[in-house]
């Protein structure tokens, strides 16, 4: 993901291993390699301790698919 | 747990995702979203609004009886928006205090909302700004807003002293690589909160890391 030109999330996502799936509470779901990320509720505000600095505390929703092919 | 839908009038409601906190005169003020517990797939809850609570320490909140809005036959509640829940619901009700010295006192507080009118009411939306002197009593300004973008996810806005203008950020559905739609963040500016101009996408995923499949909306319903 790029934010104002800066890469802040690794471009590649790792396919979960069997161990990952066992540890995951939602074992019927898996992250989708290369799936898009939704940006949701972008909380942006000026950082008052420095001039010209803004902070964004946004939610990034990673998209998952069900292992049975559903959504 | 700081806040629950535990007032008698909230028994069929839940505390929603969006809220605003402000510290003023030694008290913590909280505007929080309430919405119906029933949420049919693909549809919004039957009711959405904004309620108000206060705290001395930011941990223990009380819900004052404001008597401003009637909800299911009672005014002995702390609901502040919408003014008449029989006519409309309000989503993403972001409350913000405008400390611009030129701001009229009766518009010191502002709320940017998505309006869900009941059918046949003639109320228009979808996105409106309401203003208030105290954050409790709200009214629509006479001038209708233009160029304001979506507010159903909680938007952010402020007056930027560097620019001398109001700036806002919210979510934007964007066609992505000609196939799917995903949410990104957009931004634009206004001199007076009424006319918003120059919208652009300010936060977005890169095309190299994202690849939606054809015809699918990859975001689960809000």
């Amino acid at each position: 993901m790029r934010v104002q030109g800066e890469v802040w999330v690794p471009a590649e996502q790792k396919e979960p291993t069997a161990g990952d799936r066992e540890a995951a509470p939602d074992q019927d779901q898996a992250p989708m390699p290369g799936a898009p990320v939704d940006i949701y509720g972008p909380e942006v505000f000026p950082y008052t301790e420095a001039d010209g600095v803004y902070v964004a505390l946004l939610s990034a929703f990673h998209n998952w698919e069900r292992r049975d092919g559903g959504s | 747990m700081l806040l629950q839908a535990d007032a008698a009038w909230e028994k069929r409601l839940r505390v929603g995702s969006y809220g605003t906190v402000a510290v003023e005169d030694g008290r913590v003020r909280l505007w929080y979203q309430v919405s119906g517990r029933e949420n049919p797939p693909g549809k919004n809850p039957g009711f959405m609004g904004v309620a108000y609570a206060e705290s001395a320490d930011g941990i223990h909140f009380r819900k004052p009886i404001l008597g401003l809005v009637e909800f299911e036959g009672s005014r002995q509640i702390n609901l502040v928006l919408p003014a008449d829940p029989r006519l409309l619901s309000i989503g993403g009700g972001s409350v913000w205090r405008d400390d611009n010295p030129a701001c009229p006192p009766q518009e010191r507080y502002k709320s940017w909302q998505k309006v869900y009118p009941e059918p046949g009411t003639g109320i228009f939306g979808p996105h409106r700004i309401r203003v208030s002197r105290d954050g409790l009593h709200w009214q629509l300004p006479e001038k209708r807003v233009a160029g304001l973008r979506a507010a159903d996810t909680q938007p952010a806005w402020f007056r930027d002293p560097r620019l001398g203008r109001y700036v806002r950020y919210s979510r934007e559905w964007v066609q992505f690589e000609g196939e799917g739609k995903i949410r990104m963040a957009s931004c634009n500016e206004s001199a007076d909160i009424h006319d918003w101009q120059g919208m652009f996408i300010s936060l977005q995923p890169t095309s190299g890391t994202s690849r939606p499949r054809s015809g699918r909306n990859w975001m689960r319903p809000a």
Side-chain angles (χ1 to χ4, degrees):
Chain A
M1 176 177 286
R2 176 168 53 86
V3 179
Q4 301 290 39
E6 180 182 1
V7 176
W8 62 292
V9 169
E12 295 184 3
Q13 297 184 27
K14 184 172 70 72
E15 183 70 16
T17 66
D20 292 335
R21 285 193 289 272
E22 289 175 3
D26 296 322
Q27 295 186 24
D28 62 335
Q29 299 185 346
M32 301 179 62
V37 174
D38 278 84
I39 296 172
Y40 197 89
E43 288 299 312
V44 180
F45 56 91
Y47 179 60
T48 57
E49 300 301 316
D51 189 38
V53 176
Y54 301 80
V55 177
L57 300 175
L58 56 91
S59 300
F61 279 62
H62 292 264
N63 297 279
W64 296 55
E65 69 177 2
R66 294 169 61 96
R67 293 193 179 279
D68 61 8
S71 61
Chain B
M1 184 72 70
L2 292 177
L3 194 78
Q4 300 183 60
D6 55 3
W9 70 278
E10 296 174 317
K11 60 185 177 185
R12 293 196 293 119
L13 302 174
R14 58 184 168 85
V15 176
S17 306
Y18 311 126
T20 302
V21 178
V23 180
E24 297 178 354
D25 303 325
R27 58 179 174 161
V28 180
R29 307 185 73 190
L30 171 64
W31 292 264
Y32 63 98
Q33 184 190 32
V34 290
S35 58
R37 292 181 184 274
E38 301 296 325
N39 200 166
K43 294 185 177 180
N44 287 307
F47 172 71
M48 292 178 284
V50 179
Y52 176 78
E54 286 185 352
S55 171
D57 58 8
I59 297 174
H60 304 91
F61 283 87
R62 69 181 188 92
K63 300 175 180 179
I65 302 301
L66 299 173
L68 300 175
V69 176
E70 182 176 331
F71 183 77
E72 297 184 338
S74 175
R75 285 183 174 270
Q76 303 304 302
I77 61 177
N78 58 312
L79 189 64
V80 295
L81 285 167
D84 190 341
R86 296 170 303 178
L87 302 181
L88 72 159
S89 282
I90 284 177
S94 168
V95 175
W96 168 62
R97 189 181 67 195
D98 185 355
D99 290 325
N100 178 7
C103 173
Q106 65 272 21
E107 298 185 2
R108 183 64 64 197
Y109 295 84
K110 298 175 169 68
S111 181
W112 171 14
Q113 316 151 346
K114 184 169 185 180
V115 174
Y116 299 88
E118 291 296 321
T121 58
I123 296 172
F124 61 84
H127 310 293
R128 304 296 299 271
I129 288 176
R130 281 176 168 76
V131 296
S132 171
R133 177 184 296 274
D134 56 8
L136 303 176
H137 301 76
W138 294 92
Q139 60 182 6
L140 284 170
E142 292 183 4
K143 188 173 181 180
R144 186 175 175 180
V145 68
L148 189 65
R149 307 300 295 181
D152 52 337
T153 62
Q154 185 157 10
W157 52 337
F158 51 87
R159 184 176 184 275
D160 192 329
R162 288 199 319 140
L163 302 174
R165 293 168 66 83
Y166 296 95
V167 182
R168 62 99 230 154
Y169 295 82
S170 67
R171 72 103 176 101
E172 200 80 33
W173 280 111
V174 177
Q175 202 76 22
F176 192 76
E177 294 183 347
E179 297 181 7
K181 285 203 313 184
I182 59 173
R183 291 180 174 97
M184 300 180 185
S186 72
C187 173
N188 61 359
E189 300 175 7
S190 173
D192 61 2
I193 78 160
H194 298 296
D195 293 306
W196 295 85
Q197 301 165 344
M199 189 276 283
F200 65 95
I201 299 298
S202 58
L203 299 171
Q204 59 181 296
T206 62
S207 58
T209 61
S210 305
R211 194 167 302 282
R213 294 177 183 171
S214 177
R216 288 193 57 176
N217 166 12
W218 290 100
M219 187 62 198
R220 292 174 178 172

